[in-house]
Amino acid sequence: LEATVDLLVEDYRHLAEELVDAEEELDSLNSALRDVDSECRMKSRELERAEERQTALDEQNIRLEATVDLLVEDYRHLAEELVDAEEELDSLNSALRDVDSECRMKSRELERAEERQTALDEQNIRLEATVDL
């Protein structure tokens, strides 16, 4: 029983370490997602300014259209990266929920094992008292 408890404690510790690692990775991905979002907003503002210049300056129309095309492509690329990052974040969140669920289950198993151990200890004390009599 003690070996089982030791294994459960070790499993719980391992799962807790994995949970910390997943949280750190989630923080890193959240930071990357914020960076991508900021860059998308910046590119979006640049695109808007480029479109305003195109309207105001007809003689630069050809050059401005090329700039807009490049900015649109950059925006699409960043949007695709954002979608990928969101999918990865969703996957990590799901994995985190799985680990959390497993940790809770292991914690309940450990608690039950501790309760059984306490009951066995009490029974041993009673049996020893009986033997002493």
Side-chain angles (χ1 to χ4, degrees):
L1 184 57
E2 286 180 9
T4 301
V5 169
D6 289 345
L7 287 175
L8 288 173
V9 168
E10 186 60 33
D11 283 349
Y12 183 81
R13 285 185 184 136
H14 178 70
L15 289 172
E17 290 170 1
E18 288 180 8
L19 178 61
V20 167
D21 291 344
E23 287 173 336
E24 288 172 355
E25 191 170 337
L26 181 61
D27 289 344
S28 175
L29 286 172
N30 278 331
S31 177
L33 184 59
R34 286 189 296 273
D35 292 345
V36 167
D37 182 60
S38 175
E39 191 162 337
C40 282
R41 290 172 193 255
M42 181 184 71
K43 292 292 183 182
S44 180
R45 289 189 297 270
E46 288 176 14
L47 177 60
E48 186 175 326
R49 286 192 301 272
E51 289 170 344
E52 289 170 0
R53 284 192 306 271
Q54 178 182 350
T55 301
L57 303 170
D58 289 338
E59 66 271 5
Q60 294 179 347
N61 192 32
I62 293 173
R63 285 180 281 163
L64 288 176
E65 285 178 4
T67 302
V68 168
D69 289 343
L70 288 175
L71 291 172
V72 167
E73 185 60 33
D74 284 348
Y75 182 82
R76 286 185 184 141
H77 179 68
L78 290 172
E80 289 170 1
E81 288 179 7
L82 179 59
V83 167
D84 292 345
E86 287 172 342
E87 289 171 356
E88 190 170 347
L89 184 59
D90 289 345
S91 174
L92 286 172
N93 278 331
S94 176
L96 184 58
R97 285 189 295 274
D98 292 347
V99 167
D100 183 59
S101 176
E102 177 104 10
C103 283
R104 290 173 194 263
M105 182 184 69
K106 293 293 183 181
S107 180
R108 288 190 297 270
E109 288 176 8
L110 178 59
E111 187 176 311
R112 287 192 297 273
E114 288 171 344
E115 289 170 359
R116 286 192 301 271
Q117 182 64 44
T118 301
L120 287 173
D121 289 344
E122 290 171 358
Q123 182 182 5
N124 282 343
I125 290 169
R126 286 191 304 272
L127 287 172
E128 286 176 3
T130 302
V131 168
D132 289 343
L133 291 177

